[in-house]
Amino acid sequence: MRKIFLLVSLFCFSVLLFSQSRKITSAEIRWKAYKTLKTESMSHFGTVKLKSGNLTFNGNELTGGSFVIDMNTVDAEDMNGNPKQKKFLENHLKSDDFFDTEKFPVAVFQIKSVKKIPDKNNRFQIGGILTIKGISKNILFPATVVESNGAIIITSAQFTFNRKHFGLKYNIFEDMLISDEVEMNVKIMVQ
């Protein structure tokens, strides 16, 4: 019994010794949404900023982490040429019609699994729990994990989530004109 306790203790110590949490030093989170016709002329796109985040590594191998997204920073870049319409759209997205940032100022993503895709391109399948407006759903997306000049850069492939699964619904008539799928791209760097 004592040997088992010693082995378990040694295992736990080695996991703690080699597992380390690193603070995210920069992030780019991009979004794109469409009307139901899904044409470029009927889309909106932009960014949202990271509030905080940490990733967990075993050596240089990504094993987990979480990050918090500040939903009050939603930026509709496609409207930069029309400041009045830009402000209207951003306020509309922050309102209780969509993200309701007064009640739910942040969204959270927690990494629960990281699986290597068997190729030579440093690609991984990242799975986790996305929480928007207090609603949590599992999502899965491919990403590359690359080390460069002492930094580790994680870049997702484009992935989508269904906005309605997170309660992002507008009034019944206008909601029918908006595609359910929201496209995302994420690039994160840790030092």
Side-chain angles (χ1 to χ4, degrees):
M1 184 67 155
R2 187 173 176 167
K3 287 182 183 181
I4 293 173
F5 177 75
L6 184 60
L7 286 173
V8 169
S9 297
L10 186 58
F11 174 76
C12 291
F13 178 73
S14 66
V15 167
L16 289 173
L17 183 64
F18 295 108
S19 181
Q20 60 179 332
S21 180
R22 296 184 187 178
K23 186 176 180 180
I24 296 172
T25 54
S26 71
E28 180 179 90
I29 305 168
R30 304 198 63 75
W31 60 270
K32 189 170 194 175
Y34 294 91
K35 303 285 187 182
T36 51
L37 295 177
K38 204 168 184 180
T39 62
E40 289 301 313
S41 64
M42 299 189 88
S43 68
H44 290 293
F45 60 88
T47 61
V48 65
K49 292 184 180 174
L50 185 74
K51 185 172 184 173
S52 63
N54 290 294
L55 297 177
T56 307
F57 293 86
N58 185 355
N60 284 336
E61 183 180 324
L62 177 66
T63 58
S66 67
F67 48 94
V68 179
I69 303 161
D70 184 350
M71 297 311 297
N72 280 302
T73 64
V74 67
D75 181 17
E77 290 179 343
D78 66 297
M79 303 297 285
N80 283 345
N82 189 336
K84 186 177 179 181
Q85 287 294 320
K86 175 183 173 78
K87 186 164 184 69
F88 175 80
L89 176 59
E90 290 170 354
N91 287 337
H92 183 53
L93 291 172
K94 294 174 194 176
S95 77
D96 60 0
D97 289 334
F98 288 99
F99 290 104
D100 197 0
T101 60
E102 190 172 306
K103 289 183 189 172
F104 305 99
V106 298
V108 177
F109 181 67
Q110 295 177 305
I111 298 172
K112 295 295 184 182
S113 66
V114 180
K115 296 181 181 170
K116 177 93 169 102
I117 296 172
D119 65 16
K120 296 179 181 176
N121 298 319
N122 296 315
R123 293 188 311 156
F124 294 81
Q125 193 75 4
I126 297 176
I129 299 171
L130 177 62
T131 303
I132 300 174
K133 289 181 73 172
I135 300 169
S136 298
K137 300 286 181 185
N138 290 317
I139 64 167
L140 196 63
F141 58 88
T144 58
V145 180
V146 178
E147 185 176 6
S148 175
N149 296 325
I152 297 176
I153 302 164
I154 301 161
T155 307
S156 77
Q158 181 179 293
F159 63 97
T160 62
F161 70 88
N162 187 314
R163 66 183 175 84
K164 288 185 175 178
H165 293 172
F166 295 92
L168 303 175
K169 300 175 186 175
Y170 192 35
N171 73 52
I172 192 164
F173 298 109
E174 294 186 54
D175 195 63
M176 293 185 323
L177 302 175
I178 304 169
S179 174
D180 294 347
E181 299 298 317
V182 176
E183 295 176 358
M184 298 292 297
N185 291 88
V186 178
K187 185 174 183 178
I188 293 173
M189 184 172 75
V190 296
Q191 291 286 345

